[in-house]
Amino acid sequence: AVVNGILHTLSQFSTSELLVAVGLRSVRPAERGEFTQRAYSAGKLNLVEVEALADLVTADTGLQRKLALKQMDGSVARIYEGWRSQLIRGLAHAEAIIDFGDDEDLEENENGTVENIWGGVIAQVQTLRRSMEGYLDNANRGEIARDGLKIAIVGPTNAGKSSLLNLLAQREVAIVSSIEGTTRDVVEVSLDLGGVKCTVSDTAGLRNSGDDDDSTGLGTNRVDEIELEGMNRARRAAKESHVIVCVLDATHVQQLLRDDGSTPSLNSADGNDTTNDGFQMVTSVLRDAYANPGQEIIYVANKADLLPRSDAAVSTPPIAILRNRLSLDHAESTSTPDTNTNGTVVSYAHEISCSTNDGVEHLLANLTQIVLNRVTSSSESSSNSIPTEELTLITRTRHRYHVTQCVEAMARFEMLAANNLEGVELAAEELRLAASELGRVVGAVDVEDVLDVLFADFCIGK
């Protein structure tokens, strides 16, 4: 309303004597990103800094703001420009050899000794390529910090998934009911965990349809087509997430005990677990997670307040049963998590009560630490601070693509350069392509198609 009022008032002045007095002929609203585009065209901002400004305007968390400010100060652009300068220097030497002949591949250094220029170029490119590969090999931490982390809450029906989401969001986001199948779609809420933007998804409860002939375990005998689609979406949400929070009913976990007090392994491949309907379905979903490298799983036994702890017959708490079942031989929930051979991390088992809030604070602290570990290279990062050096990251898919293309061109250069001067022309072309890819990151090379999309993302007047 305020902006509209200002625009209306300015439109009334467009033909008035006031504008003539100050030397203006007309007044119009700026186009989206027009001021930023003018700064870029005038050379006051490079493309990385323009993107950082866009990220700053849309930042939702403290970490996103720090990332944007770190890139706006020019430190990231200087890294790219430094890489590009090294490539251009090597390209200049290669072209000198092409233009002036084989005799020019020798020069006298400061000590008066002769060294091979071409060999120096190869060594320089090899060193630079390894440095760039180090930036690429960061598990997409920069993109995750910028775009946010995905957390999926999965589990059987009536385990307390929606209650947990409401506690984490500190408001009534999802409907809570004792009726099975209340949640039939994916309910998302955005949270700030340790400064990192996280999208937490509550999913439909998983339960067996009762159709044993259905290979998916999701037949239609017990569930209608809407609930069936909800469970399919729950599977997709779990597969696409970075962290899975598996919520189980603590009273049902107790039922997993065999007569001899032992429990079968959750990761067993026999699929003969029929003790608990929901647990069997969750096991099926989590098998997909074990095939997806890099995911982390937290197991939560909810409704711990309903356990008959005064009963001497109940000697094994749910959290111990989960650890046994998950093959986690840790004495405390703060122990080092188990890592699957394909990169899937089985994090900690927690025993909580959404009704009394017991254990929820500990679960939230553990979840926050896992989130922070995903965006930093240090496993000891605290929820209060993130090292400044961790903020200089590749934060956009566009950046990663061009840097990857550059590294691949440099690898091809090394292969061609291995033939000494026989393939110098082709090798030089690979260096030219590598430098061009880095130029596209900072906008030194034609990137009109990128600019059109980027400036359109700005709000009016920025």
Side-chain angles (χ1 to χ4, degrees):
V2 175
V3 174
N4 290 334
I6 293 175
L7 293 177
H8 176 72
T9 302
L10 290 175
S11 66
Q12 302 301 312
F13 289 157
S14 59
T15 58
S16 67
E17 296 180 357
L18 177 60
L19 290 178
V20 176
V22 297
L24 296 178
R25 296 182 178 180
S26 62
V27 176
R28 66 169 177 82
E31 300 293 337
R32 288 182 178 271
E34 184 173 354
F35 293 118
T36 305
Q37 191 168 15
R38 289 186 178 187
Y40 173 78
S41 300
K44 296 181 179 180
L45 295 176
N46 58 46
L47 188 54
V48 172
E49 292 168 337
V50 170
E51 290 174 323
L53 178 57
D55 291 341
L56 181 63
V57 172
T58 59
D60 292 322
T61 68
L63 178 60
Q64 290 175 320
R65 177 180 58 83
K66 290 180 181 179
L67 276 172
L69 290 174
K70 185 68 176 178
Q71 292 188 329
M72 282 191 66
D73 68 8
S75 60
V76 175
R78 283 193 292 270
I79 292 176
Y80 289 125
E81 289 289 5
W83 290 345
R84 187 166 177 261
S85 297
Q86 293 183 57
L87 289 174
I88 292 176
R89 189 180 305 113
L91 178 61
H93 289 165
E95 291 182 340
I97 295 173
I98 296 173
D99 293 338
F100 300 106
D102 297 350
D103 292 339
E104 293 298 323
D105 69 325
L106 300 178
E107 71 174 8
E108 188 174 303
N109 62 19
E110 296 178 354
N111 299 325
T113 60
V114 176
E115 62 181 10
N116 185 284
I117 298 178
W118 188 237
V121 172
I122 296 174
Q124 181 185 33
V125 170
Q126 289 175 337
T127 302
L128 179 59
R129 177 179 57 79
R130 286 192 289 267
S131 175
M132 294 172 67
E133 287 176 341
Y135 276 82
L136 290 173
D137 187 22
N138 64 358
N140 296 90
R141 287 192 296 269
E143 291 96 320
I144 292 175
R146 175 183 174 270
D147 300 328
L149 202 77
K150 294 182 179 180
I151 302 174
I153 303 177
V154 301
T157 57
N158 285 356
K161 301 182 298 299
S162 298
S163 298
L164 178 59
L165 179 69
N166 291 342
L167 281 177
L168 295 177
Q170 297 183 348
R171 58 190 177 92
E172 295 296 324
V173 178
I175 299 174
V176 177
S177 170
S178 60
I179 301 174
E180 287 189 339
T182 300
T183 302
R184 297 195 169 200
D185 205 345
V186 178
V187 180
E188 296 183 341
V189 62
S190 181
L191 299 180
D192 182 340
L193 297 181
V196 181
K197 179 182 178 181
C198 297
T199 301
V200 184
S201 302
D202 178 27
T203 61
L206 302 172
R207 56 172 173 160
N208 200 305
S209 64
D211 187 354
D212 295 334
D213 295 330
D214 186 355
S215 59
T216 65
L218 297 177
T220 56
N221 287 359
R222 291 179 51 190
V223 298
D224 57 37
E225 59 180 337
I226 298 178
E227 188 174 355
L228 173 62
E229 176 59 24
M231 287 191 281
N232 286 331
R233 294 188 181 189
R235 286 177 177 272
R236 288 197 296 269
K239 186 175 182 179
E240 295 170 358
S241 65
H242 300 98
V243 181
I244 297 176
V245 179
C246 179
V247 181
L248 304 165
D249 189 324
T251 60
H252 291 173
V253 174
Q254 287 282 358
Q255 300 173 13
L256 295 172
L257 283 172
R258 291 195 179 107
D259 293 338
D260 60 1
S262 64
T263 60
S265 172
L266 175 66
N267 301 322
S268 60
D270 52 27
N272 293 325
D273 177 18
T274 57
T275 307
N276 182 274
D277 177 19
F279 213 118
Q280 184 181 21
M281 293 301 302
V282 172
T283 300
S284 175
V285 172
L286 295 183
R287 284 199 186 104
D288 295 336
Y290 275 92
N292 189 11
Q295 281 192 321
E296 300 197 45
I297 306 173
I298 299 179
Y299 294 89
V300 177
N302 186 32
K303 303 183 182 181
D305 56 306
L306 300 181
L307 295 176
R309 298 189 182 277
S310 60
D311 189 347
V314 181
S315 58
T316 307
I319 194 169
I321 297 174
L322 282 175
R323 288 203 185 104
N324 189 344
R325 191 178 180 84
L326 302 169
S327 301
L328 294 176
D329 300 323
H330 310 306
E332 301 293 338
S333 61
T334 55
S335 303
T336 304
D338 172 65
T339 303
N340 190 276
T341 55
N342 67 353
T344 301
V345 177
V346 179
S347 295
Y348 315 104
H350 289 266
E351 187 176 315
I352 70 169
S353 170
C354 290
S355 297
T356 64
N357 287 350
D358 289 341
V360 175
E361 184 176 350
H362 186 201
L363 168 62
L364 182 59
N366 185 194
L367 183 60
T368 301
Q369 189 60 53
I370 290 174
V371 167
L372 288 174
N373 290 345
R374 290 302 298 264
V375 298
T376 62
S377 60
S378 172
S379 60
E380 298 179 355
S381 58
S382 68
S383 58
N384 297 323
S385 63
I386 296 177
T388 304
E389 59 271 16
E390 295 286 354
L391 299 180
T392 307
L393 300 167
I394 296 175
T395 58
R396 285 179 177 260
T397 303
R398 187 183 72 84
H399 298 176
R400 182 172 295 275
Y401 171 78
H402 289 305
V403 174
T404 300
Q405 293 296 310
C406 176
V407 168
E408 292 177 356
M410 293 165 71
R412 293 192 297 270
F413 162 83
E414 294 175 29
M415 293 178 59
L416 293 169
N419 298 323
N420 295 323
L421 296 178
E422 295 179 4
V424 62
E425 293 88 353
L426 295 177
E429 181 62 24
E430 294 297 342
L431 281 186
R432 187 177 292 106
L433 291 175
S436 176
E437 290 294 342
L438 289 182
R440 291 182 178 276
V441 176
V442 296
V445 179
D446 181 38
V447 286
E448 289 300 324
D449 53 342
V450 176
L451 292 176
D452 291 342
V453 176
L454 179 61
F455 290 124
D457 289 339
F458 280 86
C459 58
I460 293 176
K462 293 295 185 293

